């Protein structure tokens, strides 16, 4: 009988909760050679190449003290992730999953060779080869200290490749953004065209306002069990704005003055009737809502139905009468803007100036712009005042919840009215301002560009906002908004030239002549409005411009989405350039380039680019069985920490932090957010995360989370996020972060990125990231917690060794304080530690100690221990370190912006890390057994 082929195992696509993830990790660690008992964690902080080099020395010291193999977890952030990934890849490749072998190789000297061979169970030749490989891996890191541009020089190919890559990506992303900006700026043109071509009617305006009233009534009241509560206010807002726009269109129509001849009483009576009917329609909406499934609430504080009906009617009559009076007066004033005049001498004198630009209003040349930019927002304001008056008269006719709901709707209307006024104002005012600027335009434009670039370069560093004086900080904070305003004015002016250049604008020549002679802004405004509204387009009359503008708008939107489909938001950010160089440096170092018995460990880079795709292992491969023992797994278990950006979080208490922890590990990827009353998030199998649905073995490579974890320069950057700065950095494509699938949403978590870039690119632009979208914006783990202990505390590690190599020249311990605060707020874990001995007595002076020991109080559990190691100078360092310090006063806290290390800088940080590591852990070098209990005994906390 033929043998039945074994059926392929089904992929694990389940959701995991955090408690399940930790349980699976514990089971995994039981299959490693890590010490039994309570877990011990090692954390490498952020700090770019400085942290990576310092912690390389710490790794060597831990290996010499036989401690590297005693850690269950390795938690890394940003620059700490560079060297942590190097270590994990080195264990996986050269050590074949055995950390003990790498530990012995790093600790081997000519005098202890036989001893180290016995410890790791290798023959002499195998250990010699392994020592050679680890030595090469360190030499390789030194060689690529300038990992971004290994060959220095402005005209070097590495530098110019970075410039060309940046310009290419900038061009592609700008194409998508500019097309969308053009589409947005075309909308006022289209609306003005429609207002000028199809005069509105009050009847249609009343119908739209009635629809608004229905959704107002439908939206108020007890919460529904469906999501209709979310959309009702927006629908009401849309109908309200549309109704006011149609009414404003009617005010600008030729028939408005004739309709006003009926007199004030007629208009007041009509307004009262309309207002009563509108609120009756709102009552219908309320009745419809009451028939839907609702969540039971306590009875509100509104009056009974008899009183409510009476006061509603009285309020509707009074508010309607007031609105009728004000509307009639506004309409009368609007007719004064025509050449016919008002017939009132005092009013004539007041509007004498504005009439300069409105002298041809009788031909409906300028009034459409007045209608959409002034009349419509004023009508929104008048309607809002009428509703306020009615709420006041009705007293308890509205419940407190109803009053809050209406107030929030009013805020929404106010927000979009202001946006619309600014929007139309930029479109209308930009061209005449450019005309009037004349020669000043060149110097002003140059100043704008220089200021923008200065702000852009300053924004790359976390230290940007510590310039030494408050006024400089405030001035720098204004730079992005100056750029945004300047960009919109420039685009609006260019769009005006684009729309008018090919057309016959002879009819506007008199305005141009007057404007050129006077140089007056009002004359330039008359000229540009004429060119916009009164041009003679071939095959189209002046009333057919809306078709042209609609076609241009549709083309811009379609082209933007087509380009957004082809220009991948992740591939054409600077993330990919950054990743290639990080992988070449830190993961390529673990590919032994010399000939040996393992061809898969040899680098085969392209001779021209020096890149080898095989440098980057799959992250999930770090969890696979060891080659020589299928029952064992590699340790320490690597946690790569990134920041899930929440610039617009659902949890109000997180509006300051604006980020949460998102973790990549060999088994799982995901996050869990703990809100006051609920939890959100999920974890997924790392083997299938971010892989194409149709490809079984295309799992995410280690270089992706490594690069995300170090993506410091990103438009959305946790608690450093600023809307203006986000706009600036997105436009200039300073984007190292990455959009990754939301593990809480089915199917999305398996996609490598969004299909269309547009939506997510604009979420970056507007700093509108949250946890509810299909794709999440991930950036530098330091944008949430830069020390790397948060996830170790989550896993209740008995001992945590935190190596802090962040830039902290003033020894404020910001990263430590931030981590302690978040652990207590989110996890209920109290960390107590004294760091006074780590502060130098004077600036750039020596510190009394290199480390401090604190206590960790877990809820319903034994206390843990925090061993906090600080990159510091105490005066007992070797001569070469002291010499470098004498030449560089900021050492060892030189700016993180410096990512180009030369040999003396690299060796000084590495040797300092080694010196401090031996100083801290040397007393454990001769311990026969080291576990959590021994560490706690040898490092007692001074705060217990």
């Amino acid at each position: 009988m033929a043998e039945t082929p074994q059926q392929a195992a089904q992929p694990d696509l389940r959701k995991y909760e955090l408690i399940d993830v930790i349980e699976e990790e514990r089971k995994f660690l039981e299959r490693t050679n890590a010490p039994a008992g309570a877990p011990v964690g090692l954390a490498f902080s952020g700090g770019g190449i400085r942290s990576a080099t310092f912690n390389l020395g710490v790794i060597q010291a831990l290996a010499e003290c036989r401690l590297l193999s005693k850690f269950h977890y390795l938690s890394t952030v940003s620059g700490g992730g560079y060297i942590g990934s190097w270590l994990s890849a080195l264990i996986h490749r050269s050590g074949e999953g055995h950390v003990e072998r790498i530990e012995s190789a790093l600790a081997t000297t000519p005098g202890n060779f036989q001893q180290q061979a016995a410890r790791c169970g290798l023959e002499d030749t195998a250990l010699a080869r392994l020592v050679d490989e680890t030595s090469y891996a360190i030499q390789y890191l030194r060689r690529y200290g300038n990992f971004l541009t290994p060959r220095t020089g402005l005209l070097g190919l590495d530098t110019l490749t970075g410039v060309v890559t940046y310009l290419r990506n900038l061009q592609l992303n700008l194409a998508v953004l500019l097309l969308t900006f053009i589409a947005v700026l075309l909308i006022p043109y289209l609306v003005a065209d429609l207002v000028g071509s199809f005069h509105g009617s009050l009847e249609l305006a009343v119908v739209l306002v009635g629809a608004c009233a229905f959704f107002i009534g439908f939206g108020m009241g007890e919460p529904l069990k469906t999501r209709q509560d979310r959309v009702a206010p927006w629908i009401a807002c849309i109908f309200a704005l549309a109704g006011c726009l149609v009414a404003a269109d009617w005010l600008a129509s030729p028939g408005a003055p004739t309709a006003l001849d009926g007199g004030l009483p007629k208009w007041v009576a009509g307004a009262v009737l309309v207002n009563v009917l509108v609120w009756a329609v709102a009552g219908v909406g309320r009745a419809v809502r009451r028939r839907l499934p609702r969540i039971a609430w306590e009875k509100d504080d509104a009056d009974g139905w008899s009183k409510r009906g009476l006061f509603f009617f009285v309020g509707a009559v009074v508010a309607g009468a007031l609105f009728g009076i004000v509307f009639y007066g506004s309409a009368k004033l609007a007719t004064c803007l025509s050449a016919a005049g008002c017939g009132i001498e005092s009013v004539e004198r007041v509007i004498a100036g504005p009439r300069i630009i409105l002298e041809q209003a009788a031909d409906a040349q300028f009034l459409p712009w007045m209608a959409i930019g002034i009349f419509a927002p004023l009508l929104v304001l008048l309607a809002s005042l009428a509703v306020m008056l009615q709420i006041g008269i009705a007293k308890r006719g509205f419940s407190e919840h109803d009053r809050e709901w209406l107030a929030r709707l009013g805020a929404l209307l106010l927000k979009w009215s202001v946006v619309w006024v600014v929007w139309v104002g930029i479109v209308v005012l930009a061209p005449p301002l450019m005309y009037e600027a004349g020669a000043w335009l060149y110097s002003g434009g140059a100043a704008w560009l220089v200021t923008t670039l200065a702000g852009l370069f300053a924004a790359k560093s976390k230290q940007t906002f510590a310039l030494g004086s408050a006024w400089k900080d405030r001035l720098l904070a204004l730079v992005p908004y100056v750029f945004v305003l300047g960009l919109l004015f420039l685009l609006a002016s260019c769009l005006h030239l684009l729309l008018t250049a090919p057309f016959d604008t002879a009819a506007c020549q008199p305005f141009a002549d007057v404007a050129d002679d006077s140089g007056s802004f009002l004359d330039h405004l008359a000229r540009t409005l004429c060119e916009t509204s009164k041009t003679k387009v071939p095959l189209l009359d002046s009333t057919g411009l809306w078709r042209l503008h609609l076609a241009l708008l549709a083309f811009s939107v379609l082209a933007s989405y087509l380009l957004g489909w082809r220009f991948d938001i992740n591939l054409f950010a600077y993330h990919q350039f950054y990743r290639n160089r990080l992988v070449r440096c830190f993961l390529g170092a673990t590919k032994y380039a010399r000939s040996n018995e393992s061809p898969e460990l040899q680098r085969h880079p392209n001779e021209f680019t020096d890149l080898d795709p095989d440098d980057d292992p799959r992250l999930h491969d770090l969890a696979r069985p060891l080659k020589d023992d299928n029952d064992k797994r590699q340790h320490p278990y690597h946690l790569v920490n990134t920041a899930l950006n929440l610039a617009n979080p659902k949890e109000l208490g997180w509006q300051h932090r604006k980020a949460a922890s998102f973790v990549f590990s060999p088994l799982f990827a995901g996050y869990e957010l703990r809100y006051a009353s609920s939890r959100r998030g999920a974890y997924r199998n790392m083997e299938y995360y971010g892989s194409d649905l149709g490809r079984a073995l295309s799992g995410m490579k280690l270089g992706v989370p490594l690069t995300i974890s170090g993506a410091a320069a990103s438009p959305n950057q946790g608690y450093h996020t600023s809307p203006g700065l986000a706009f600036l950095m997105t436009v200039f494509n300073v984007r190292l972060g990455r959009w990754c699938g939301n593990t809480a949403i089915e199917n999305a978590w398996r996609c490598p990125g969004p299909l269309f870039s547009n939506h997510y690119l604009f979420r970056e632009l507007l700093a509108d990231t949250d946890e509810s979208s299909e794709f999440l914006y991930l950036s530098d783990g330091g944008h949430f917690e830069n020390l790397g202990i948060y996830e170790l505390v989550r896993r209740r590690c008995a001992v945590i060794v935190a190596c802090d190599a962040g830039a902290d020249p003033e020894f404020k311990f910001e990263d430590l304080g931030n981590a302690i605060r978040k652990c207590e707020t989110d996890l209920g874990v109290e960390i107590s530690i004294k760091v006074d001995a780590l502060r130098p007595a004077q600036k750039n002076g020596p510190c009394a100690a290199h480390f401090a020991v604190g206590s960790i109080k877990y809820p319903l559990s034994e206390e843990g221990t925090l061993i906090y190691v600080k990159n510091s100078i105490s005066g007992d360092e070797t001569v070469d370190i002291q010499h470098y310090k004498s030449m560089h006063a900021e050492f060892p806290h030189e700016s993180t912006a410096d990512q180009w290390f030369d040999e003396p800088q690299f060796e000084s940080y590495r040797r300092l890390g080694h010196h401090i590591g031996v100083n801290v852990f040397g007393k454990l070098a001769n311990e026969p057994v080291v576990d959590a209990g021994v560490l706690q005994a040898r490092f007692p906390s001074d705060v217990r």
Side-chain angles (χ1 to χ4, degrees):
M1 184 175 178
E3 194 171 298
T4 305
Q6 186 175 3
Q7 190 175 17
Q10 291 296 319
D12 182 6
L13 306 180
R14 293 174 293 166
K15 280 185 181 181
Y16 287 85
E17 294 185 0
L18 178 62
I19 188 171
D20 301 321
V21 167
I22 295 177
E23 180 64 26
E24 290 295 323
E25 289 175 357
R26 292 292 173 90
K27 293 177 181 178
F28 178 89
L29 290 171
E30 289 174 359
R31 303 181 69 179
T32 68
N33 291 321
V40 179
L42 174 63
F44 291 150
S45 78
I49 188 69
R50 177 189 58 251
S51 175
T53 310
F54 174 85
N55 284 311
L56 171 60
V58 173
I59 289 172
Q60 292 178 285
L62 289 171
E64 292 174 11
C65 299
R66 298 175 58 197
L67 288 179
L68 195 59
S69 60
K70 309 307 179 185
F71 292 99
H72 299 78
Y73 286 102
L74 172 62
S75 177
T76 63
V77 180
S78 192
Y82 301 172
I83 202 64
S85 298
W86 172 86
L87 176 61
S88 291
L90 189 65
I91 295 171
H92 174 68
R93 286 170 166 162
S94 295
E96 296 182 328
H98 296 275
V99 64
E100 299 83 4
R101 297 179 182 178
I102 298 301
E103 183 179 69
S104 295
L106 290 172
T108 297
T109 63
N112 67 3
F113 187 88
Q114 296 297 331
Q115 182 184 15
Q116 294 297 341
R119 282 179 178 174
C120 66
L122 290 177
E123 297 180 356
D124 291 355
T125 54
L127 178 59
R129 184 172 63 249
L130 189 57
V131 169
D132 198 24
E133 291 180 9
T134 54
S135 298
Y136 171 79
I138 294 174
Q139 293 171 12
Y140 186 100
L141 292 181
R142 187 182 296 112
R143 175 189 174 195
Y144 279 92
N146 296 315
F147 69 93
L148 288 175
T149 54
R151 290 197 179 276
T152 58
L154 290 177
L155 296 180
L157 282 183
D158 287 331
T159 303
L160 293 179
T161 299
V163 173
V164 170
T165 302
Y166 172 76
L167 293 176
R168 178 200 68 196
N169 295 346
L170 176 64
Q171 173 188 344
L172 298 180
N173 282 279
L174 275 181
V176 177
L177 289 173
L178 292 181
L179 281 169
T180 308
F181 288 153
I182 289 173
V184 169
L185 292 173
L186 275 168
I187 292 176
Y189 282 98
L190 180 60
V191 175
D193 292 337
L194 294 174
V195 167
S197 302
F198 307 99
H199 299 300
S201 67
L202 286 182
E203 292 80 4
L204 178 58
V206 169
V207 170
L208 292 172
V209 172
C212 168
F214 175 86
F215 284 98
I216 288 176
F218 181 84
M220 295 188 296
E222 302 92 333
L224 298 176
K225 294 183 178 180
T226 60
R227 294 186 176 181
Q228 293 166 324
D229 279 341
R230 183 179 301 177
V231 299
W234 286 96
I235 297 176
C237 181
I238 292 171
F239 276 119
L241 294 175
C244 291
L245 191 60
V246 171
D249 185 10
W250 177 83
L251 285 175
S253 67
T258 304
L260 293 174
D261 292 341
L264 180 60
K266 173 184 173 182
W267 283 92
V268 170
V272 168
L273 178 61
V274 168
N275 199 38
V276 170
L277 291 176
V278 161
W279 284 105
V281 173
V284 174
R286 185 71 169 248
V288 171
R289 180 187 183 88
R290 288 186 177 276
R291 299 183 66 86
L292 298 177
R294 306 184 308 281
I295 298 174
W297 269 12
E298 294 183 7
K299 289 187 177 296
D300 57 39
D301 60 346
D303 289 324
W305 280 107
S306 58
K307 285 188 176 181
R308 183 182 296 193
L310 174 62
F311 286 118
F312 251 89
F313 180 76
V314 174
V317 170
V318 175
L322 178 63
F323 181 81
I325 293 171
V326 177
F327 181 81
Y328 180 82
S330 301
K332 273 289 190 182
L333 183 60
T335 61
C336 295
L337 296 175
S338 68
C342 297
I344 305 175
E345 184 177 354
S346 58
V347 176
E348 291 284 350
R349 287 198 300 268
V350 171
I351 68 171
R355 186 171 290 159
I356 295 175
I357 64 167
L358 299 169
E359 59 187 20
Q360 294 188 9
D363 296 329
Q365 185 168 316
F366 302 142
L367 279 181
W369 289 99
M370 299 289 290
I372 68 171
I374 299 177
F375 295 168
L378 282 178
L379 288 177
V380 173
L381 177 61
L382 292 178
S384 300
L385 292 175
V387 173
M388 292 178 191
L389 178 63
Q390 180 159 346
I391 292 174
I393 294 174
K395 197 175 180 179
R396 292 186 180 274
F398 291 95
S399 69
E400 180 59 28
H401 176 261
D402 291 343
R403 290 190 288 270
E404 282 286 343
W405 196 95
L406 288 169
R408 196 168 184 84
L409 179 65
L412 186 62
L413 282 169
L414 177 62
K415 171 184 176 179
W416 286 107
S417 296
V418 171
V419 169
W420 178 252
V421 170
V422 174
W423 191 353
V424 174
I426 289 174
V427 169
V428 173
L429 299 181
L433 285 175
M434 292 293 185
Y435 276 126
E436 191 173 8
W440 288 97
L441 185 62
Y442 299 102
S443 56
W448 168 73
L449 185 60
V450 169
T451 303
T452 298
L453 293 176
L456 183 66
F457 285 119
K460 289 184 178 180
S461 173
K462 181 181 174 182
Q463 300 300 317
T464 295
F465 302 100
L467 299 179
S469 59
W471 70 268
K472 286 184 179 180
D473 294 348
R474 296 190 186 98
L475 187 62
L476 188 60
L478 292 176
V479 169
Y481 299 97
V482 172
F483 165 75
V484 171
L485 188 62
L487 177 65
L488 293 178
F489 266 71
L490 178 62
L491 289 176
S493 300
C494 292
L495 181 60
H496 173 78
L497 293 176
L498 176 68
L499 293 175
T500 59
F503 305 148
D504 178 14
T505 57
C508 302
Q509 191 58 44
F511 292 97
D513 295 337
V514 172
D516 292 338
D517 291 339
S518 67
S520 168
F521 168 74
L522 291 178
D523 290 331
H524 283 300
L525 178 59
R527 171 187 183 175
T528 56
L529 287 178
C530 178
E531 291 174 343
T532 300
S533 308
K534 199 66 175 177
T535 52
K536 295 181 179 178
V537 186
L539 305 179
L540 290 174
D541 57 21
S542 60
T543 60
L545 277 175
W546 69 271
R547 298 185 183 90
L548 175 65
H549 292 157
L550 179 61
L552 291 174
L553 176 62
F555 171 80
S556 299
V557 172
L558 180 61
S560 173
Y561 270 89
L562 284 174
L563 294 181
W565 172 48
R566 299 311 304 159
F567 300 163
D568 189 284
I569 193 171
N570 290 327
L571 293 181
F572 297 108
Y574 218 55
H575 168 94
Q576 206 70 14
F577 175 89
Y578 188 41
R579 172 189 168 187
N580 288 340
R581 278 127 191 94
L582 283 175
V583 167
R584 176 176 62 185
C585 175
F586 292 96
L587 301 182
T590 65
K591 295 287 292 295
Y592 194 49
R594 308 170 192 179
S595 60
N596 54 28
E597 298 176 0
S598 304
E600 71 273 10
L601 293 184
Q602 300 176 23
R603 288 196 80 231
H604 299 285
N606 181 283
E607 292 292 336
F608 187 59
T609 64
D610 196 29
L611 298 178
D612 181 359
D614 291 333
D615 285 345
D616 200 358
R618 291 194 307 159
L619 180 54
H620 180 72
D621 287 343
L622 302 183
R624 295 196 180 280
L626 305 187
K627 291 182 178 180
D628 54 357
D629 190 347
N630 287 335
D631 291 331
K632 291 296 183 180
R633 302 292 189 271
Q634 173 178 327
H635 80 286
Y637 185 81
H638 195 172
L639 304 173
V640 185
N641 297 280
T642 68
L644 163 55
N645 280 272
L646 307 171
N648 187 21
K650 304 303 180 185
E651 175 65 20
L652 298 181
W654 290 9
Q655 292 180 92
H656 169 72
R657 63 173 64 181
K658 299 180 181 179
S661 175
F662 190 105
V663 177
F664 294 90
S665 71
L667 291 180
F668 300 100
Y671 67 102
E672 180 177 281
L673 310 181
R674 297 189 177 187
Y675 296 154
S677 59
S678 64
R679 296 184 182 184
R680 184 180 179 88
Y683 293 82
R684 300 286 187 167
N685 190 328
M686 190 67 235
E687 185 175 8
Y688 300 99
Y689 181 76
S691 60
D692 292 334
L693 296 176
R695 299 169 61 192
L697 298 176
S698 60
M700 181 176 285
K701 293 191 173 182
L702 176 58
V704 176
L706 159 63
T707 307
I708 297 172
S709 183
S714 299
N716 292 251
Q717 41 190 319
Y719 55 88
H720 298 294
T721 301
S722 162
L725 191 59
F727 192 105
L728 179 66
M729 296 180 74
T730 304
V731 168
F732 282 93
N733 204 32
V734 183
R735 302 169 43 244
L736 295 182
R738 183 181 178 92
W739 288 94
C740 294
N742 191 339
T743 51
I745 297 179
E746 296 297 336
N747 297 328
W749 67 277
R750 293 201 61 187
C751 298
L755 180 61
F756 290 94
S757 300
N758 309 70
H759 174 66
Y760 294 98
L761 189 61
F762 272 84
R763 296 196 75 166
E764 273 189 77
L765 183 87
L766 301 174
D768 186 32
T769 53
D770 60 27
E771 69 276 29
S772 63
S773 59
E774 288 191 345
F775 292 88
L776 305 172
Y777 189 70
L778 306 181
S779 65
D780 193 315
H783 294 158
F784 174 72
E785 193 272 293
N786 200 45
L787 194 57
I789 68 172
Y790 184 88
E791 291 295 333
L792 296 178
V793 172
R794 256 185 170 177
R795 286 155 176 79
R796 293 178 176 257
C797 289
V799 178
I800 297 175
V801 177
C803 300
D804 186 358
D808 189 14
E810 298 181 7
F811 287 83
K812 294 181 178 180
F813 299 94
E814 177 186 354
D815 292 337
L816 177 61
N818 176 57
I820 291 174
R821 183 167 51 251
K822 285 189 168 70
C823 287
E824 183 171 0
T825 302
D826 298 352
L827 311 177
V829 176
E830 181 181 341
I831 299 177
S832 302
I833 188 170
K834 294 180 180 179
V835 294
D836 294 338
L838 302 182
R839 287 193 177 94
Q842 57 185 3
K843 186 176 182 180
N844 295 326
C847 303
H850 291 299
F851 74 104
V853 181
S855 65
I856 307 173
K857 295 181 181 180
Y858 294 109
L860 305 176
S861 179
E862 296 181 359
E863 285 192 1
T865 298
L866 172 64
I867 304 174
Y868 175 70
V869 181
K870 184 75 170 176
N871 59 333
S872 53
I873 297 291
S874 64
D876 61 347
E877 292 78 17
T878 57
V879 173
D880 57 328
I881 298 175
Q882 292 184 15
H883 173 261
Y884 188 85
K885 171 67 174 176
S886 68
M887 301 297 292
H888 303 83
E890 301 86 0
F891 176 81
H893 295 282
E894 294 169 288
S895 172
T896 308
D898 179 11
Q899 293 292 295
W900 291 265
F901 272 27
D902 55 22
E903 183 179 351
Q905 194 174 14
F906 182 95
E907 278 301 295
S908 297
Y909 277 100
R910 185 192 67 82
R911 288 177 61 80
L912 176 62
H914 179 266
H915 168 80
I916 292 177
V918 171
N919 181 283
V920 176
F921 301 107
K923 54 187 176 183
L924 295 174
N926 297 319
E927 291 281 352
V929 177
V930 178
D931 58 14
V934 172
L935 286 169
Q936 288 177 322
R938 297 303 298 269
F939 290 91
S941 172
D942 59 357
V943 295
R944 289 177 178 168

